[in-house]
Amino acid sequence: MTIRAWIPIAASLLSLAAMGSSAHAADNAALPDPGRSPAPATWTVDQVADIAVRNHPLVRQSDAEIAAAAARKGQAQSGWYPTVNLSTGYSRVRDFSVQQGERETTTNKFLRGELSWMLYDFGRTGASVDRADALAAISRENAAATREDVVFIAKVAFYNVLRAENTLEFQRKNVGQRESLLRQAQAFYEAGVRAKIDVVRAEANLYDSRALLGQAQNELRVARITLLQRMGVDGPAGFQLHGALFEGKMEGTLEDWSAEAQRNRPEIRALVEKERSSVESLRLANAGYMPFLVGGAGFGYEADEFPLQESYAASVTLNYPLFSGFLTREQVKEARATLSSVRYEIIEARRRVRLEVERTAYGMQEAQERLAAREKQREASEENLRLATARYEVGAGDIIEMTDAQTQMVSADTETVNTAFDYAVTQAALLRAMGR
């Protein structure tokens, strides 16, 4: 049999082998591979925010501060309860008696329980408890503000990763275009159609695009590790993100957003609680002019020698501070000044919040309008690049026109991505300003 006759047979055998290997590969793909790494985690912006709230150290620190404030309120409430002490002891004293002209030794043994209770203090303890309650509420509102800050910076980091990924994508595309242009310029030069300068210019532009690609790769690496830090976690390093920089407009008007911010901002609610704390501090300072009534009781056993003898005592004391070196007067003046200061602080905070909402809303509107213009610019740049490429391929255009079109396309892509990032960040900032 000749070699020519073996060719169809060999081709048939190879086809059967390929079909068998493909079917075997398909069967293996359907089975779980114990050595295959699990699918990478995929996060949306809401999932990133949720992970940050649950794991960020600042959030946990604020939770600990809430617990400490609640404990301080419990300490203030202890003034409503009596105190009970149990004591026992033994003493031996040897002294000289002038009357008897000799030394005497005295011993004392005791077992005693004592109860002391502030029966009425004219509002001192009540003011202290209410002030501690207001301070605990301030801690809760500060914790809410911390959570909103953590969510905001996590969202910004999320959008920054998306921006870096988009930038890397079109930088890779730009490198591919520059490599294709260099091959065309070399082919034209070898055919004698173009001058050597086309090759040199294309080569220089290619190296520039590769440098920009390396920079984009590094920016993406930094953005990814920054996102993990903003979330308060260390991994996984191979995560993926699901979302877009521009996801539509926010519903509502500026008046609605400003009113919502006045209601929801934890900073304003914290200042309102601070005002309540100052009112209770003033009430506590004024209580310094009032008396307080203390009751006491004791029961025990005491004697020089055994057996010990039963003893008890009971007392009610009314104390009235007649003069304290003007201490109470100055404390009252300080409390009044502090209350006035807090009220002015609330006014300024409300104005500052309104300004923040308005400024962020106008910034979001400007970013949206700028994004629409950048998208039109990108469409025009893409068409310009297509026309310049076609002209260069047929010999109607020169290398300068071609490189300018590529540079313009990279600039349009960069500006579009950056503007979409600005819009996403201002939208997140508006949500933060509204206290959501």
Side-chain angles (χ1 to χ4, degrees):
M1 185 178 293
T2 62
I3 298 176
R4 186 182 301 272
W6 280 100
I7 293 177
I9 298 174
S12 300
L13 293 174
L14 291 174
S15 299
L16 290 173
M19 293 173 60
S21 62
S22 299
H24 182 67
D27 293 338
N28 289 337
L31 296 175
D33 185 3
R36 183 181 301 171
S37 59
T42 302
W43 296 326
T44 63
V45 63
D46 293 332
Q47 290 173 332
V48 165
D50 181 66
I51 294 172
V53 168
R54 287 188 285 107
N55 294 278
H56 203 282
L58 291 179
V59 176
R60 295 186 177 183
Q61 178 186 356
S62 62
D63 292 339
E65 292 174 353
I66 291 176
R72 287 191 290 270
K73 179 182 177 181
Q75 296 172 22
Q77 290 174 334
S78 65
W80 282 327
Y81 302 97
T83 60
V84 179
N85 294 319
L86 181 64
S87 60
T88 183
Y90 169 81
S91 63
R92 179 182 178 88
V93 179
R94 187 177 184 187
D95 199 1
F96 181 78
S97 176
V98 177
Q99 296 177 352
Q100 298 180 3
E102 60 182 10
R103 294 186 178 275
E104 292 183 349
T105 301
T106 304
T107 60
N108 185 35
K109 309 173 186 66
F110 67 92
L111 175 64
R112 185 166 51 243
E114 297 178 348
L115 181 144
S116 178
W117 199 348
M118 178 69 69
L119 298 178
Y120 191 67
D121 60 0
F122 292 88
R124 288 179 175 86
T125 302
S128 298
V129 172
D130 291 340
R131 182 178 64 177
D133 181 71
L135 294 176
I138 292 174
S139 297
R140 290 192 295 270
E141 297 301 337
N142 290 337
T146 299
R147 284 178 170 82
E148 292 182 359
D149 290 337
V150 166
V151 168
F152 174 68
I153 62 176
K155 285 184 176 181
V156 173
F158 175 90
Y159 293 131
N160 194 36
V161 172
L162 292 183
R163 176 176 66 169
E165 289 177 346
N166 292 332
T167 302
L168 180 61
E169 181 180 354
F170 68 71
Q171 288 294 350
R172 285 173 175 168
K173 183 179 179 181
N174 181 45
V175 169
Q177 293 174 349
R178 296 290 173 89
E179 290 175 346
S180 176
L181 179 60
L182 177 59
R183 289 193 297 268
Q184 291 177 358
Q186 288 175 339
F188 286 151
Y189 172 70
E190 293 173 357
V193 179
R194 297 287 184 177
K196 179 69 173 178
I197 191 173
D198 284 16
V199 178
V200 176
R201 184 181 293 273
E203 188 176 11
N205 290 331
L206 174 60
Y207 286 126
D208 178 67
S209 63
R210 287 177 177 174
L212 294 176
L213 176 61
Q215 181 180 353
Q217 290 173 339
N218 182 67
E219 290 178 354
L220 178 57
R221 286 191 292 266
V222 173
R224 290 177 67 86
I225 62 176
T226 301
L227 175 59
L228 292 177
Q229 192 275 335
R230 296 291 189 263
M231 295 168 61
V233 296
D234 297 326
F239 65 86
Q240 295 179 356
L241 300 183
H242 177 71
L245 289 174
F246 181 76
E247 297 182 348
K249 299 187 297 182
M250 283 188 59
E251 299 296 332
T253 63
L254 181 59
E255 291 76 13
D256 297 335
W257 298 336
S258 181
E260 183 176 354
Q262 296 294 332
R263 295 191 305 269
N264 294 345
R265 281 292 288 267
E267 294 90 341
I268 293 180
R269 294 201 300 262
L271 287 175
V272 172
E273 295 296 335
K274 186 177 179 180
E275 180 185 17
R276 182 163 72 95
S277 172
S278 299
V279 170
E280 298 302 328
S281 296
L282 178 59
R283 185 159 73 96
L284 179 61
N286 282 320
Y289 290 122
M290 308 300 294
F292 50 89
L293 188 64
V294 181
F299 179 81
Y301 296 90
E302 183 176 2
D304 294 340
E305 299 293 340
F306 288 105
L308 302 181
Q309 301 299 316
E310 184 179 291
S311 65
Y312 65 89
S315 65
V316 176
T317 305
L318 178 67
N319 294 321
Y320 194 94
L322 294 178
F323 183 70
S324 59
F326 304 107
L327 175 63
T328 303
R329 185 189 68 179
E330 299 302 321
Q331 288 175 340
V332 170
K333 290 169 63 176
E334 178 188 4
R336 286 175 178 169
T338 301
L339 177 59
S340 178
S341 173
V342 171
R343 286 172 175 169
Y344 286 119
E345 187 178 0
I346 292 175
I347 295 174
E348 174 60 22
R350 293 187 181 279
R351 291 177 177 174
R352 186 171 60 250
V353 166
R354 184 170 61 250
L355 173 62
E356 183 179 350
V357 171
E358 293 176 352
R359 182 178 59 201
T360 308
Y362 289 137
M364 185 181 66
Q365 180 181 357
E366 183 272 335
Q368 182 180 351
E369 296 173 352
R370 181 157 44 96
L371 180 59
R374 292 300 185 188
E375 289 176 347
K376 294 294 184 181
Q377 177 191 4
R378 187 188 180 283
E379 294 175 1
S381 299
E382 188 175 11
E383 179 65 14
N384 180 47
L385 178 60
R386 186 186 67 82
L387 295 176
T389 302
R391 283 170 52 82
Y392 187 77
E393 289 176 350
V394 300
D398 56 15
I399 190 68
I400 298 177
E401 179 184 2
M402 186 66 189
T403 55
D404 287 347
Q406 290 178 339
T407 302
Q408 185 179 10
M409 188 68 217
V410 172
S411 176
D413 280 332
T414 302
E415 293 300 330
T416 301
V417 170
N418 289 340
T419 305
F421 172 77
D422 292 342
Y423 177 81
V425 170
T426 53
Q427 190 178 57
L430 180 57
L431 292 174
R432 170 66 182 90
M434 292 162 59
R436 291 190 186 179

